[in-house]
């Protein structure tokens, strides 16, 4: 049997099935989620929300390049969200 490292895995924990989908994400996606978690912690929020992920994605290379081409200022956007 060949195991695909990018295939989500499922394991049983205390009568519940938990699926680990992290292996299906790219390195950049995992880094963005980690930044989102850090923002939630920094802003004293109990959990990560789509807003945290949105702000984290603003700092990815692809989104930052797109915003630069549109002459948008990332810091201004983030400050409006806070």
């Amino acid at each position: 049997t060949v195991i695909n490292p990018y295939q989500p895995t499922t394991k049983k924990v205390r009568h519940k099935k938990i699926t680990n989908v992290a292996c299906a994400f790219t390195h950049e996606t995992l880094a963005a989620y980690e930044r989102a978690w850090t923002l939630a912690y920094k802003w004293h929020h109990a959990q990560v929300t789509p807003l945290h992920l949105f702000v984290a994605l603003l700092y990815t290379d692809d989104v930052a390049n797109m915003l630069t081409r549109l002459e948008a200022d990332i810091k201004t956007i983030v400050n409006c969200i806070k």
Side-chain angles (χ1 to χ4, degrees):
T1 304
V2 177
I3 298 174
N4 181 352
Y6 301 106
Q7 179 68 32
T9 57
T10 302
K11 67 179 182 177
K12 195 171 184 180
V13 178
R14 293 186 188 183
H15 307 290
K16 295 182 182 180
K17 288 185 179 179
I18 297 177
T19 302
N20 178 7
V21 296
C23 57
F25 295 143
T26 64
H27 176 70
E28 189 174 40
T29 303
L30 291 173
Y33 187 77
E34 187 174 332
R35 283 192 297 273
W37 184 89
T38 302
L39 284 171
Y41 180 79
K42 182 179 176 182
W43 294 345
H44 305 286
H45 296 165
Q47 52 188 298
V48 175
T49 65
L51 180 64
H52 300 111
L53 190 55
F54 173 73
V55 173
L57 289 173
L58 290 175
Y59 291 99
T60 62
D61 291 339
D62 291 338
V63 175
N65 289 336
M66 179 191 66
L67 292 174
T68 300
R69 288 182 193 147
L70 295 172
E71 298 180 5
D73 183 23
I74 295 173
K75 289 182 182 180
T76 302
I77 296 170
V78 172
N79 287 335
C80 288
I81 293 171
K82 286 183 183 179

